[in-house]
Amino acid sequence: MLDKLEYLMALAREEHFGRAADSCGVTQPTLSAGIKQLEEQLGVMLVRRGSRFIGLTPEGQRTLDWARRIVGDSRAMRQEITALKKGLTGRLKIAAIPTALAMVAAITTPFRARHPDVRFTILSQTSIQILTHLEHLEIDAGITYLDNEPLGRVNTVPLYQERYQLLTSHDAPLGTREQVTWAEVSQVPLCLLTPDMQNRRIIDELLRSAGGNPQPTLESNSVVVLFAHVRTGRWATIMPSKLAETLGLTDTIRAIPIVEPEAVHTIGLVVPAREPMTPLTAALVAEAKRMATGLKS
């Protein structure tokens, strides 16, 4: 039954029988037969079929919700039994929005000191991808905005407040200022993250509210690309203050606080709203709470 539920989850995720089979490590006939057997066991049609995958029926969608719950609980049970025998082991897969990636080490480093047999996979994803992959059980946790766009069914741990700074060269028009307003920044040619990033949507709204029309001279889905351009002294960007501190500034580049209004957003850990948590997730939540306390002190 668990294998068949995994097949259904993979098909809903991939929306293609062949890709779903590949992701499960089985042949397409095996996956198709498993889903048909599941339909026979439940006595309902789960999948709309034609020459290709069309979608799930209402019964299929509801079964998918139960499948995620059952498979998640099964994984949690296996982790807990393993932890009782061997201590905390396994792999934690964490996805973070690009502007928070530099802060992940503040959790993973002390976590590894407490649990040296745990390994990590860290991914850069958009906020929407993080929530989707959490729902599909493809990641264990995410680090994203908590207070701007809907989060859905997740548990959260607030970590720190994101404030914004203009990164620009000393000899740029605003380069000698101690602080600048959003109205002033809206007149500066900027390089920014791509529109699929929530950070970009936040900045665009702040610039528009100040009377600007966001039209960056360069876009990228990588903060490293943005920072590399700013370091040349010929570009400017808007970056969260903690990220700017982590990346470090050169003698010619300044980070200038942006005020009027002072914009603040909460960054935090998100995990599936499932009880009991897996031992790995529970340990990660505990570490995140310690990190948040340290950042506030």
Side-chain angles (χ1 to χ4, degrees):
M1 175 65 78
L2 283 173
D3 286 345
K4 294 166 188 171
L5 294 177
E6 294 261 20
Y7 295 165
L8 182 66
M9 289 168 55
L11 182 59
R13 181 180 66 247
E14 301 294 340
E15 299 183 343
H16 186 277
F17 282 96
R19 290 195 301 269
D22 289 342
S23 71
C24 292
V26 299
T27 64
Q28 184 171 330
T30 297
L31 181 134
S32 297
I35 291 177
K36 282 184 178 295
Q37 290 167 10
L38 184 61
E39 290 176 323
E40 291 169 1
Q41 286 178 290
L42 297 176
V44 293
M45 188 71 70
L46 302 177
V47 178
R48 294 191 180 98
R49 296 174 176 85
S51 58
R52 55 183 176 78
F53 175 78
I54 298 174
L56 298 181
T57 64
E59 295 84 358
Q61 187 60 52
R62 189 65 183 135
T63 303
L64 176 64
D65 293 338
W66 278 102
R68 289 169 177 160
R69 185 181 306 179
I70 293 167
V71 171
D73 287 346
S74 173
R75 293 177 184 177
M77 179 190 69
R78 288 196 295 266
Q79 272 193 26
E80 187 162 343
I81 298 305
T82 300
L84 288 172
K85 292 192 301 181
K86 303 179 180 179
L88 209 58
T89 62
R91 180 178 295 276
L92 266 171
K93 187 176 286 189
I94 304 169
I97 55 175
T99 53
L101 278 170
M103 301 300 293
V104 177
I107 298 178
T108 55
T109 301
F111 187 105
R112 184 169 178 268
R114 298 177 197 276
H115 309 289
D117 293 327
V118 175
R119 295 167 293 166
F120 298 91
T121 297
I122 310 298
L123 304 171
S124 175
Q125 295 183 346
T126 68
S127 56
I128 294 173
Q129 288 173 326
I130 288 171
L131 297 177
T132 299
H133 292 162
L134 272 180
E135 184 180 9
H136 292 172
L137 304 182
E138 295 174 325
I139 58 175
D140 299 296
I143 298 178
T144 186
Y145 293 97
L146 301 186
D147 59 358
N148 188 55
E149 296 178 354
L151 293 174
R153 296 177 297 176
V154 296
N155 292 330
T156 65
V157 179
L159 296 176
Y160 63 92
Q161 300 293 310
E162 181 177 272
R163 292 175 170 83
Y164 305 98
Q165 297 179 329
L166 174 68
L167 268 63
T168 189
S169 63
H170 278 280
D171 57 3
L174 300 176
T176 59
R177 298 279 295 277
E178 292 305 312
Q179 61 183 30
V180 292
T181 68
W182 284 99
E184 290 171 323
V185 173
S186 69
Q187 305 303 312
V188 175
L190 296 167
C191 51
L192 297 172
L193 288 171
T194 48
D196 59 323
M197 302 292 178
Q198 191 171 168
N199 172 268
R200 170 64 184 281
R201 296 194 290 275
I202 289 171
I203 289 173
D204 279 358
E205 180 59 31
L206 288 165
L207 294 174
R208 288 192 188 99
S209 67
N213 180 25
Q215 292 184 328
T217 55
L218 180 146
E219 295 178 332
S220 176
N221 63 358
S222 168
V223 294
V224 174
V225 170
L226 301 185
F227 192 67
H229 281 76
V230 172
R231 282 173 64 96
T232 67
R234 297 293 181 264
W235 303 76
T237 192
I238 299 169
M239 196 167 284
S241 56
K242 285 191 178 295
L243 179 59
E245 292 169 10
T246 302
L247 293 173
L249 301 175
T250 66
D251 293 337
T252 59
I253 301 301
R254 296 194 63 219
I256 305 170
I258 308 175
V259 298
E260 295 183 22
E262 183 183 22
V264 179
H265 286 283
T266 302
I267 303 295
L269 184 78
V270 292
V271 298
R274 183 177 296 112
E275 294 293 342
M277 292 183 187
T278 69
L280 284 173
T281 301
L284 184 67
V285 167
E287 199 62 61
K289 290 179 178 178
R290 282 190 286 268
M291 170 192 169
T293 299
L295 288 174
K296 292 172 184 174
S297 61

